[in-house]
Amino acid sequence: EVQLVESGGGLVQTGGSLRLSCTATGLDFDDSAIGWYRQAPGKAREAISCISSSAGLTWDADSVKGRFSISVDNASNTVYLQMESVKPEDTAVYHCAAEIGNRGLRYGVPSCWRGYWGQGTQVTVSS
């Protein structure tokens, strides 16, 4: 059974930093991609970042490029989202997501959106 458990959310001031963690069990990191999406109240779900560690590839949304970075620690089955220079519009529930098969690649790009997801962790950015 695949399980994704997020942690690290909280309240942070504009311009500050936060690191989210996702511990994944029940899947093979060599044949999957793991990433993050977020959903703010009244807004559509937004894919943020995705990594295929076996392929050495990442994908990031334009809205977070240069501010957020995704990384993986295979030894602990954990994926991190380092958030820098946060803005009030980054306020949302952040969910970990995973897609299994073909090293988590679709058309050569990491894809995390058609498989599993966690319960989420709240990130609130104060202005």
Side-chain angles (χ1 to χ4, degrees):
E1 179 186 6
V2 176
Q3 287 192 325
L4 304 172
V5 180
E6 304 93 338
S7 61
L11 177 65
V12 59
Q13 291 186 331
T14 296
S17 302
L18 203 63
R19 189 177 78 161
L20 306 183
S21 301
C22 171
T23 301
T25 57
L27 55 79
D28 180 357
F29 270 51
D30 288 337
D31 194 34
S32 58
I34 302 176
W36 298 86
Y37 70 88
R38 65 188 180 188
Q39 188 158 24
K43 294 189 177 181
R45 184 183 304 178
E46 180 186 12
I48 294 299
S49 190
C50 182
I51 184 168
S52 167
S53 61
S54 62
L57 296 173
T58 61
W59 172 89
D60 300 293
D62 289 342
S63 60
V64 303
K65 276 181 181 177
R67 299 189 300 121
F68 293 7
S69 61
I70 191 169
S71 61
V72 61
D73 180 357
N74 288 314
S76 63
N77 290 350
T78 302
V79 175
Y80 300 99
L81 184 69
Q82 181 66 42
M83 306 168 64
E84 305 283 349
S85 303
V86 296
K87 306 173 182 179
E89 51 263 44
D90 294 322
T91 295
V93 177
Y94 284 69
H95 297 264
C96 185
E99 186 169 326
I100 296 173
N102 196 36
R103 297 187 294 168
L105 302 176
R106 287 183 183 266
Y107 306 105
V109 178
S111 174
C112 295
W113 325 119
R114 302 182 188 183
Y116 304 87
W117 52 90
Q119 292 297 310
T121 185
Q122 176 70 46
V123 172
T124 302
V125 182
S126 63
S127 56

